[in-house]
């Protein structure tokens, strides 16, 4: 019977860390095999699980044994396995599912890129262009369609889950119009429109993104008559006038792109406009291990970076915004509530 380990001595902890890829690979294997989906609410023998997911029992037991060491699944004394709070998050049907995130963070390209982290640290540049001969998202969409689909599903999951937290945080009771800039499929603006029936909204993102907007926002959807879907690149201009602009998880590019996006929003809104920037932070937050790992992944694939509180404040004030408040949205996101000065 295996259990999650706690506080090993430093030499053993370092040995565990250098085998971190084994844990990531085990999570990916469990997600791809659908082990969590096959495991019901009662403890199950590994032979029955193996039959359900079409694997050999002995190697499946080895996979489950490894994952139970991290608190993903638990093994009972009789050799049966059961769910934990973490393993349930690998289920496709869990409302808080992280299955797609698990697959995205362990896609094949990541195994090509991680060994080159020293090169990225040495040069400050992404390594994907050297690996594949193209900018990351160009390569992803042109040459790795299956991985692009995983990315889209993961971003949809993440956005949908955090959109409710954003809507709960923002008071727009005295606001008439809101624009979701670089808002992907529009989960944030949809959640805000559902919360505030008087509100009108706009979703702006790249054409290939907004063509797959949330069904609630598209023609025939329950929110379609209160939203405008605008294809565009916020770094090139924002042809949208609103009282409040929400910019979530897109200011992770190089400094020039970030500055251009902020200037575009400020020019569109004009003096007195409210701008809410929502980002992961890599300073003292409950999500430090996750956020710093994502920060390194951004360095590898696009040459971008997550922000500290100070670096985000610096970007916003350099652009000319006045920061009125900084608040946590949830354990892994912070909101910077800003105003375009008069």
């Amino acid at each position: 019977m295996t259990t999650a380990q706690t506080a090993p001595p430093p030499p053993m902890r370092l040995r565990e860390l250098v085998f971190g890829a084994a844990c990531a690979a085990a999570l990916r294997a469990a997600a791809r095999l659908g082990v969590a989906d096959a495991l019901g609410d009662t403890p199950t023998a590994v032979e029955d699980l193996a039959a359900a997911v079409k694997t050999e029992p002995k190697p499946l037991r080895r996979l489950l044994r490894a994952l139970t060491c991290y608190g993903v699944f638990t093994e009972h004394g009789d050799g049966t396995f059961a769910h934990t709070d973490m393993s349930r998050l690998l289920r496709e049907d869990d409302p808080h599912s992280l299955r797609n995130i698990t697959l995205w963070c362990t896609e094949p390209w990541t195994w090509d890129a991680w060994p080159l982290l020293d090169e990225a640290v040495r040069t400050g540049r992404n390594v994907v262009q050297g690996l594949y001969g193209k900018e990351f998202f160009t390569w992803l969409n042109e040459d790795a369609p299956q991985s692009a689909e995983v990315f889209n599903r993961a971003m949809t999951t993440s956005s949908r889950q955090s959109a409710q937290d954003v809507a709960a945080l923002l008071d727009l009771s005295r606001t008439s119009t809101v624009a979701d800039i670089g808002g992907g499929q529009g989960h944030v603006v949809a959640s805000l429109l559902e919360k505030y029936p008087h509100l009108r909204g706009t979703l702006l993102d790249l054409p290939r993104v907004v063509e797959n907007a949330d069904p609630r926002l598209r023609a025939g959807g329950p929110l379609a008559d209160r939203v405008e879907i605008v294809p565009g690149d916020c770094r090139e201009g924002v042809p949208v006038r609103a009282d409040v602009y929400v910019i979530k998880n897109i200011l992770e590019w190089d400094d020039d792109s970030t500055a251009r996006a902020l200037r575009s929003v400020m020019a569109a809104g004009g003096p007195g406009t409210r701008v809410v920037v929502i980002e992961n932070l890599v300073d003292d937050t409950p999500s430090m291990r996750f956020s710093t790992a994502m920060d390194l992944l951004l360095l590898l694939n696009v040459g971008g970076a997550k922000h500290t509180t100070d670096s985000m404040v610096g970007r916003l004030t350099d652009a000319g915004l006045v920061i009125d408040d900084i608040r946590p949205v949830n354990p892994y996101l912070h909101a910077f509530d800003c105003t375009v000065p008069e």
Side-chain angles (χ1 to χ4, degrees), residues 64-136:
L64 290 168
R65 181 176 60 198
L67 287 170
T68 60
C69 295
Y70 296 93
V72 185
F73 302 108
T74 186
E75 184 181 7
H76 292 303
D78 60 358
T80 58
F81 288 89
H83 271 301
T84 64
D85 289 343
M86 276 200 289
S87 66
R88 290 184 188 279
L89 297 174
L90 290 175
R91 290 183 62 95
E92 189 77 54
D93 61 0
D94 190 276
H96 305 291
S97 176
L98 294 177
R99 181 178 184 274
N100 290 319
I101 301 295
T102 299
L103 292 173
W104 170 243
C105 292
T106 56
E107 276 294 281
W109 69 267
T110 66
W111 302 91
D112 291 339
W114 280 121
L116 302 177
L117 182 58
D118 58 327
E119 177 186 332
V121 170
R122 201 161 37 238
T123 64
R125 295 192 298 270
N126 79 75
V127 300
V128 164
Q129 193 124 8
L131 280 171
Y132 304 126
K134 296 180 180 179
E135 181 269 340
F136 178 67

